[in-house]
Amino acid sequence: MSPRLWPLAATLSIFLIAYAVCVWQFPNMWSTRVLGNFLTDNAFLGIVAVGMTFVILSGGIDLSVGSVIAFTGVLLAILITRYNVHPLIAFTLALALAAAFGALMGAMIHYMNVPSFIVTLAGMFLARGAASVLTRDSIPINHEFYSTVTSLSYRLPGGGRLSVIGLIMVAVFVVGTILAHRTRFGSYVFALGGNATSANLLGVPAARTTILIYALSSFLAGLSGIVFSLYTSAGYPLAAVGVELDTIAAVVIGGTLLSGGSGFIIGTFVGVMIQGLIQTYIVFDGTLSSWWTKIVIGGLLFVFIVLQRLLVYASKRRWRKTPAIQIGNMPEVA
Amino acid sequence: MQEQIMPTASPVLTADSITKSFLTTRVLDRVGLTLMPGEVHALLGENGAGKSTLIKILTGAYTHDSGTIRIDGVDVTPRDTAHAQELGIGTVYQEVNLLPNLTVAENLFIGRQPTRFGLVDRRRMERDARRILEPYGLEKLDVSADLGSYSVAVQQIVAIARAVDLSGKVLILDEPTASLDAREVDVLFTVVRRLRAKGLAIVFITHFMDQVFALADRVTVLRNGKLVGSKPIGDLTRMELVTMMLGHALEHESAMRIVKDRPRGERLATFQGYGLAGKIAPFDLNVHSGEVVGVAGLLGSGRTEMARLLFGIDSPDSGSATVDGRSVHLRQARDAIALGFGFCPEDRKTDGILGDLTVRENIMLALQARRGWAKPLSFKEQADLADKFVKALDIRTASVEQPIKLLSGGNQQKVILARWLATEPRFLILDEPTRGIDVGAHAEIIRMINRLCDEGLSLFVISSELEEIVAYSSRVLVLRDRQVVRELTQEDVSTASIMKAIAAEPGEVAA
Amino acid sequence: MKWIKPQYIAFLIVLLLNFALFRGFFTISIQDGRLFGSLIDVFNRGAPVAILAVGMTAVIATKGVDLSVGAVMAVAGAVAASLIQSGQPLGIVILAALGIGLLCGLWNGFLVAVLDLQPIIATLILMVAGRGIAQLMTEGRIVTFNDPGLIYIGSGALLTIPMPVVIAGVLMVVATLIMRRTALGLFIESIGVNRSASTYAGLRSKTLLIGVYAFCGLCASIAGLIAAADIRGADANNAGLWLELDAILAVVIGGTSLLGGRFSIPLSVLGALIIQGMNTGILLSGFPSEFNLIVKAFVVIVILMVQSPIVGNILTFMRPTPAPTAVPAPGEKTS
């Protein structure tokens, strides 16, 4: 197995073992109902985590996503309830705005050559502040489109429901996987995260790629905001506080190297599911408290970061031991 | 194998009278280079000779101030790497500038992957990748595996394959063998010979004399930004080549031996069988107080590695060290400093100066580090110290409160020297103390070395300037291929004897 | 006029803007032996961030960053509240709270210096887990207390000056003295400027790095004590929430580069006061308090612009004559 698959394998094993333990303890957790809720409840986190995976793969970080989710939710609530804009048009506007916002951050990061964390920190302040200026209260959204969408679902055998927002997340993961692993843009993202200098020498368009990466991340944060607004049927400026941390944790636990250049979109999916599993376990247990989520996530973060460190170290040593090329089959030049 | 396409055709690339200056410094002065199709052209010179500047001009990283570059008779000026590639000039660097986290196929095709319906057509890309690699004997390579999972030699060949596929006229190999073992070098050479047979013009930069004679058809030597000469390899002996590189005619022994009969002091330090695998073969070294041990050898011969070992930056994997008759373990720089060692590193910028700090702070840092943070030198002590050394070493700075990064190279070097002198060391290791320094400062530093020596300090000085080494050294160690091959003492020390030892055939005992 | 720093002017402008919004801004009265007034409020409320900024300055000067200080505040507050509730004497409580902060800092330092992790990644772990640990200690409740000694730290006064201001002031002075009267400040700057060259010169880079992160953790626990004492309870959810970002911002406003090197603790503290001044001003002007986030965003952008090499080049270009720099002698390389 290629060493870059190790973290992914580790994540998957942890998830499967943990799930098995959960089911062993609470047999009810083995049902399509729980699985369906898994997807629905973590949809917004999953969507935004796909964008974060691209950012981290390229060697950056995006702290603004939680604020963008909140801003999108507030914007939608105001457009729909106060200005009677149809939700679909409001969605389009919100997504365009989010993508433009991300593109601007990407441009600043590339052209001003500053660390992504400080630029997206400014973005985080800006989006959260703007959301709070629009409203300070939670605005409920009562639109028939919303109730229609949330009531739509695919019934699974066993009583589970596959909701629209759950499906949106799955779709985002599928598209994200193709984009990351099957397009030129995807290879540019990996290239930038591997070594920006080499990438430049090989002709990777750094400016365009960086701008697109952050535009994509914000776009998906916007989409996540839409999903969150469908999920909660409200817009609240203090929503999704700290989601950026959960997202980064999901990406890292999913096996993506925090310093960039290596990882899988599907790993992030497992990372999100692990977080969901912990929360579901706590609900089922009933005596445990929600803060255990943070502690376990923190512990997993530590384990994975150290594991990555060891892997990088091991892979640097490894090629020294692999046999070099066989020159036997190389014809001499006459 | 020696049969090759004779360069009867017209040159692929001609660079003529290339001149380049940075600020007031002229780093290339009317240098020319002519590349014929089907030749391996070795480009040689010590650090600072201008090789890398010339290469950077050819690959578009720098623009030349004057002179012409012609490819197939057409005037061109490469704008950047991509443009140079379009013009037919491909480059492969020592530190393989590919991406180890991408697959072999992706590395060959990044930016131009074949697509179908907007998606990368992996099967076609991998098929094409195998086709590209086939002539290099790598047809069995798994092109869908990460490049980083292969040895540097394979990565090097993939880089060459990419450069040739993209460019196809001129291939520049910048120290491609530096991190390869002997067998890997053989493979690489086979590849290069095949490319030569196909009519490519190959520029080959290396520090290994043997490789030049094994591979090159023609040699161009640069020195201090000027062209020394360009000759077919057949017309040169090893001795003549070393002479061209180091800039000495053997006929006249120009260097003055300043220190003929300096009395040898007490033994200060002894290193026995000291070595680190892959860096420097085990060596024996005795250092007496009041003597200068000179170290000569071409770049890459293990000079700096030896210095790092003596100063405790790298730890040895064999041998023992004794200082003042007591056994010591040098595991980190602090250990060496505690024994009264000091080290002026070769790479001033990354290992020497603290750019944003002032001249005063740069001078007092090592002394302060030895005293510990809790016993600070008062501002007046610091200023006095700085003033003393600014005067003594004639450091030219507007004030001791200037950030050191604003000083010229020579003055930065003197500040680092002052940093160690302030600790009143017993043993000072200087790695290329006069590199990149103007003539005036150069002479001063040499005078200073002699003076320090007279005061009882022991010095270990590495330099590519043979005259310099001859001028001040009590003894000279000659290094080649990462081992000490000769120790010259007293009357044996001369530029001629050093060059003879450097140029000796491998295996032959230099006499 | 060299001693006039842009930060002084910025602080003055912020204060004057406050005055323009509210005529009574500079009015100070004494009630119950303690100073009161809007200006005092700026200092008092700015104290926790100022204390965080003291530690953060040292960390950023070494080319690092500590994202965990907010979480460490929560942990320290939780420790103090649970211990005082279980009847421990005040001295033990304070020592334990400070000790846990020190421990958190040592952990961060270990990850950065020994495991060689990027600081932003290393401290992220505690940023996530720390708050959970704090909630574990308080069992998710807000643990309240009414020990007068502990409350005194948050709302008491010494010679009419509010305790948080006294603590922040003393910490600033002591830290500045230790940094500048010993060689510690120079060593920290050296590591930030060039860690390799510093090690060559004989500095104990690893030990120093661990020490700096430990100090930052200690500062965070002091701030956590004040925050808990101020509300007479430990709120693991909200104590110190997002204050790490304010602390980083304060240091950046104070002129310390995120790339390490030269630092000034007093200017970072002034940066914290500037941030608090803006907060107060926004409150006084009747805008929602979250509006200060937008202002902060623009402050970050402006600072980035000013520090950006591109803008720097444009400014140099617009200057009539180039700034005098040492011209290398002919035949020399400047590299």
Side-chain angles (χ1 to χ4, degrees), chain B residues 214-464:
Chain B
L215 193 64
D217 303 306
R218 195 173 182 84
V219 181
T220 292
V221 179
L222 302 183
R223 188 173 146 77
N224 291 332
K226 295 204 172 81
L227 181 69
V228 177
S230 181
K231 290 185 177 169
I233 193 78
D235 297 356
L236 283 168
T237 63
R238 296 176 79 89
M239 199 62 203
E240 284 164 337
L241 189 53
V242 171
T243 309
M244 279 171 85
M245 288 174 67
L246 298 178
H248 291 275
L250 281 173
E251 294 78 55
H252 60 97
E253 171 65 33
S254 57
M256 282 273 294
R257 285 280 284 148
I258 303 178
V259 279
K260 275 257 156 58
D261 308 304
R262 186 174 278 152
R264 207 178 233 214
E266 286 165 32
R267 180 181 290 192
L268 174 72
T270 307
F271 298 89
Q272 261 183 333
Y274 222 58
L276 178 60
K279 301 282 184 194
I280 177 94
F283 58 88
D284 295 332
L285 173 68
N286 291 313
V287 182
H288 297 85
S289 56
E291 73 167 346
V292 181
V293 180
V295 178
L298 296 174
L299 203 71
S301 58
R303 315 178 296 194
T304 299
E305 288 79 357
M306 195 170 174
R308 288 171 60 93
L309 218 51
L310 296 181
F311 195 60
I313 295 162
D314 296 325
S315 295
D317 60 4
S318 70
S320 62
T322 317
V323 175
D324 297 332
R326 281 217 304 272
S327 169
V328 293
H329 294 282
L330 304 171
R331 288 193 198 85
Q332 48 177 336
R334 285 185 65 83
D335 299 342
I337 294 168
L339 294 166
F341 289 19
F343 179 39
C344 296
E346 182 183 16
D347 191 337
R348 271 195 301 272
K349 202 166 184 179
T350 60
D351 302 327
I353 64 164
L354 293 125
D356 287 335
L357 300 191
T358 65
V359 171
R360 167 178 57 81
E361 288 165 324
N362 269 285
I363 289 178
M364 52 85 75
L365 189 65
L367 177 61
Q368 185 65 65
R370 205 168 67 178
R371 288 167 62 112
W373 65 273
K375 289 188 211 129
L377 293 158
S378 73
F379 186 82
K380 190 170 176 317
E381 283 171 311
Q382 295 177 26
D384 288 350
L385 196 70
D387 281 336
K388 181 178 128 196
F389 282 107
V390 164
K391 278 206 196 76
L393 306 189
D394 191 22
I395 297 168
R396 262 157 261 168
T397 173
S399 104
V400 295
E401 299 305 318
Q402 281 258 28
I404 191 175
K405 64 182 174 191
L406 297 181
L407 269 61
S408 69
N411 285 308
Q412 289 178 356
Q413 185 66 43
K414 288 194 221 163
V415 171
I416 296 172
L417 206 54
R419 174 189 297 168
W420 292 113
L421 294 181
T423 67
E424 294 171 359
R426 296 190 295 164
F427 181 40
L428 208 48
I429 301 162
L430 310 178
D431 193 353
E432 293 284 2
T434 55
R435 168 164 310 151
I437 284 177
D438 69 289
V439 182
H442 199 127
E444 278 173 54
I445 286 182
I446 292 173
R447 268 200 302 278
M448 204 180 313
I449 289 173
N450 273 306
R451 205 174 61 225
L452 293 171
C453 198
D454 290 338
E455 289 166 9
L457 197 69
S458 314
L459 290 109
F460 182 90
V461 188
I462 298 168
S463 178
S464 334

Side-chain angles (χ1 to χ4, degrees), chain A residues 182 184 187 261 325 327 330, chain B residues 101 113 120 122 136 138 187:
Chain A
R182 285 282 180 274
R184 283 189 189 175
S187 65
I325 24 177
I327 46 168
M330 188 178 228
Chain B
N101 61 322
Q113 294 110 315
V120 172
R122 279 209 175 175
Y136 298 89
L138 292 179
V187 176

Side-chain angles (χ1 to χ4, degrees), chain C residues 77-78 80-86 134-135 137-145 228 231-236:
Chain C
S82 352
L83 284 183
I84 203 92
Q85 235 200 2
S86 67
Q135 282 167 333
M137 289 178 194
T138 60
E139 290 164 342
R141 295 173 296 122
I142 298 181
V143 178
T144 54
F145 51 83
I231 61 164
R232 303 175 182 211
D235 179 357

Side-chain angles (χ1 to χ4, degrees), chain A residues 4 178 181-184 187-188 190-191 194-195 198 201-202 204 261 318-319 324-325 327 330-333, chain B residues 1 81 97 99 101-102 111 113 119-120 122 136 138 146 149-150 152 154 157 162 183 187 190-191 194 197:
Chain A
R4 75 167 159 179
I178 293 171
H181 305 299
R182 285 282 180 274
T183 65
R184 283 189 189 175
S187 65
Y188 294 158
F190 279 88
N195 183 333
S198 294
L201 280 176
L202 295 180
V204 169
R318 215 170 59 91
W319 51 255
I325 24 177
I327 46 168
M330 188 178 228
E332 278 294 309
V333 185
Chain B
M1 196 162 73
T81 321
N97 268 302
L99 295 154
N101 61 322
L102 300 190
Q113 294 110 315
L119 302 184
V120 172
R122 279 209 175 175
Y136 298 89
L138 292 179
D146 285 0
S149 62
Y150 291 103
V152 178
V154 174
I157 291 171
R162 182 188 150 91
R183 209 167 61 90
V187 176
T190 313
V191 166
R194 305 186 103 221

Side-chain angles (χ1 to χ4, degrees), chain C residues 110-132:
Chain C
F110 169 77
L111 295 184
V112 172
V114 181
L115 294 191
D116 232 359
L117 295 176
Q118 274 171 268
I120 188 168
I121 293 169
T123 55
L124 183 71
I125 296 170
L126 203 54
M127 183 187 188
V128 173
R131 211 162 276 285

